[in-house]
Amino acid sequence: MFTFSKPPVHDPRAYPPPRVPEAPILSFNFCRGGKSRTIYSIRDVGNPVLLTSGRDAIAIALKQIGVNQGSRVLLPAYNCRAMVEVVEWSGAEPVLYRINSDLSMDRGDVGSQLKAGAKAIIVVHYFGFPQELAELRSLCDDTGVQLIEDCAHAYYGVFNGAPPGAVGDYAIASLMKFFPIYDGGCLVSNRHASSDRALVSGGLRFEIKAIFNILERSVHYSRLRPLHWLLPPLFRLKDFIWGRVKQGNEALMSSRAGPAAADCGCGFDPRWLTVHISWISKYIMRKSSVSRCTEGRRANYRFFAERFENIPGCRPIFRILPDGVVPYVFPLFVEDPDRVFPLIKIRRVPVYRWEEVNAGVCENSSLFSRHLFQLPCHEEIRHEELRWISATVIDAVTAKSL
């Protein structure tokens, strides 16, 4: 008779969680913790326009600036492909500027690019850590270039005593990165008037999809557990009804019920530029706990920073988490990415990279596209999941058997 010994309970690799969410997931705790105002958000800059995605917010900002065919828009060489697509849609030429090894702007390159002529410049606060913008603000004022702060990674924060996005002519945010919602983007400006009066609803189909998507993702990642017996039958009924409705309806089959950004796509669809955020996403965002989000992310980031400190083969990009910074993810530099990345992906660690960068523009951007791993540190990750992620990555980095 064969007997099998169980692995030790204290080892986080012994019972790896089946699924770890990359982004915030709705749970019964999302509103617990209160509305602490010890930290700002981008919405403190001015009257926010709430759209379906951050890329839509960039597109509207470019449109209000007057970017069109023949304009030049400066972008960091290390970027998400969606940003480039929006600039190309506007008809402008995307011009890439270099970044330094600490993800800050190469000020010399930015200065020369601005002097060569540009309509606008987009600056990214990578992973929630602020760029120093005082010098750039003065340079933009002197040259007449409009400054757009990309706060997709920095919805919350205190940057030199002010909210994120307070320096630029415009600022944008991606709300799905900080709230357990289906869709959401934000455009603000403290220099130009903005209004959401021209926005329209995405329709009943969009609103229903937003509700079901939020609930399905929560069940998929084992949240909302007391409702697990009730929700799956509703999901199956929804799929059955939707399948019957789509039969023979080619127009409905080819149309999208939601923006690409909400469905984890990188495409840009200008048809969603005039659509405001879904009702359920707006409601959840309004009810979400500020303190739970900000304090949870900072605590999870510090956990990773301690675990990866002095591990051979990798290093945190930002070892110290300054006061006022609310991180989006934990950026980890891995020395042997071609070996490590597939190993941890096979183990279903929720890690990703910005791989589609122009390798011929900036050496640091090319390096980061392969070596910089983004690990989730949002507030909905459980402590045992944090331990499992770190243990699995460390094993892969240090060449231990998985």
Side-chain angles (χ1 to χ4, degrees):
M1 181 176 183
F2 293 99
T3 59
F4 299 91
S5 60
K6 295 182 179 180
V9 175
H10 68 272
D11 186 353
R13 291 154 293 188
Y15 299 100
R19 302 180 183 95
V20 182
E22 295 182 3
I25 299 296
L26 186 66
S27 71
F28 290 111
N29 297 319
F30 83 98
C31 60
R32 296 179 182 175
K35 296 286 184 179
S36 170
R37 300 301 296 169
T38 59
I39 202 160
Y40 294 119
S41 78
I42 188 175
R43 297 184 67 179
D44 293 313
V45 172
N47 184 38
V49 177
L50 299 181
L51 304 145
T52 60
S53 70
R55 64 195 68 172
D56 289 344
I58 295 177
I60 292 178
L62 294 176
K63 186 176 181 180
Q64 292 186 7
I65 290 171
V67 170
N68 51 32
Q69 195 74 33
S71 301
R72 298 172 77 246
V73 176
L74 306 187
L75 311 171
Y78 183 57
N79 59 61
C80 174
R81 175 61 192 171
M83 181 192 301
V84 180
E85 290 185 2
V86 173
V87 174
E88 292 174 340
W89 166 84
S90 72
E93 175 191 2
V95 179
L96 305 179
Y97 60 82
R98 296 191 297 269
I99 62 169
N100 298 315
S101 59
D102 61 353
L103 290 171
S104 63
M105 298 175 290
D106 184 324
R107 298 183 183 182
D109 189 40
V110 169
S112 63
Q113 297 280 12
L114 286 175
K115 292 175 183 178
K119 192 76 173 180
I121 179 172
I122 301 177
V123 177
V124 178
H125 298 298
Y126 292 109
F127 313 123
F129 290 78
Q131 299 274 357
E132 179 53 56
L133 297 180
E135 182 179 338
L136 179 61
R137 178 72 269 176
S138 298
L139 189 57
C140 287
D141 291 338
D142 293 340
T143 57
V145 176
Q146 297 285 291
L147 172 59
I148 301 175
E149 287 188 66
D150 187 331
C151 300
H153 297 179
Y155 180 85
Y156 291 112
V158 179
F159 297 175
N160 293 323
V167 177
D169 295 281
Y170 294 91
I172 69 97
S174 178
L175 305 179
M176 294 96 77
K177 294 178 173 63
F178 285 85
F179 298 96
I181 56 180
Y182 169 66
D183 64 304
C186 182
L187 174 66
V188 300
S189 175
N190 61 3
R191 294 183 171 225
H192 305 278
S194 58
S195 173
D196 60 0
R197 294 180 181 177
L199 299 179
V200 299
S201 170
L204 181 61
R205 182 181 167 208
F206 167 59
E207 297 288 350
I208 293 175
K209 180 175 182 179
I211 295 173
F212 273 95
N213 178 275
I214 292 170
L215 294 176
E216 284 180 306
R217 291 179 67 234
S218 293
V219 171
H220 179 77
Y221 289 106
S222 301
R223 270 61 174 180
L224 300 178
R225 187 172 294 277
L227 299 180
H228 280 198
W229 63 272
L230 174 64
L231 293 176
L234 291 179
F235 300 153
R236 289 192 291 270
L237 178 62
K238 180 262 299 182
D239 292 338
F240 173 77
I241 295 174
W242 184 238
R244 295 295 295 270
V245 169
K246 290 195 296 183
Q247 286 181 1
N249 193 331
E250 295 183 3
L252 189 62
M253 287 283 288
S254 61
S255 64
R256 295 187 63 91
D263 293 323
C264 301
C266 292
F268 172 68
D269 189 347
R271 291 177 297 178
W272 291 91
L273 285 176
T274 59
V275 177
H276 60 65
I277 187 174
S278 66
W279 173 85
I280 187 64
S281 294
K282 185 176 182 180
Y283 176 82
I284 292 174
M285 185 179 66
R286 188 188 311 125
K287 294 296 183 179
S288 293
S289 168
V290 176
S291 59
R292 183 171 183 270
C293 176
T294 57
E295 294 169 10
R297 286 171 181 260
R298 286 181 57 84
N300 292 344
Y301 188 98
R302 288 193 294 265
F303 175 89
F304 277 147
E306 292 176 1
R307 293 298 297 271
F308 289 108
E309 185 69 22
N310 299 322
I311 298 296
C314 68
R315 59 177 174 83
I317 295 291
F318 302 104
R319 286 186 166 86
I320 298 175
L321 183 64
D323 293 339
V325 170
V326 179
Y328 161 49
V329 295
F330 183 83
L332 182 71
F333 188 94
V334 176
E335 295 177 3
D336 189 5
D338 296 333
R339 180 185 61 83
V340 174
F341 193 77
L343 283 177
I344 62 178
K345 288 293 286 186
I346 289 175
R347 292 282 286 173
R348 295 193 300 187
V349 173
V351 59
Y352 57 96
R353 302 178 291 188
W354 285 350
E355 299 177 345
E356 298 181 9
V357 303
N358 191 323
V361 175
C362 173
E363 181 179 353
N364 288 320
S365 296
S366 179
L367 194 68
F368 287 144
S369 68
R370 294 177 52 242
H371 292 263
L372 199 158
F373 292 12
Q374 301 179 36
L375 300 174
C377 65
H378 58 81
E379 66 280 8
E380 285 298 338
I381 297 183
R382 297 162 176 163
H383 186 69
E384 61 268 24
E385 293 171 341
L386 289 172
R387 295 175 63 231
W388 174 78
I389 291 173
S390 59
T392 304
V393 174
I394 290 172
D395 281 355
V397 168
T398 57
K400 292 183 180 179
S401 174
L402 293 179

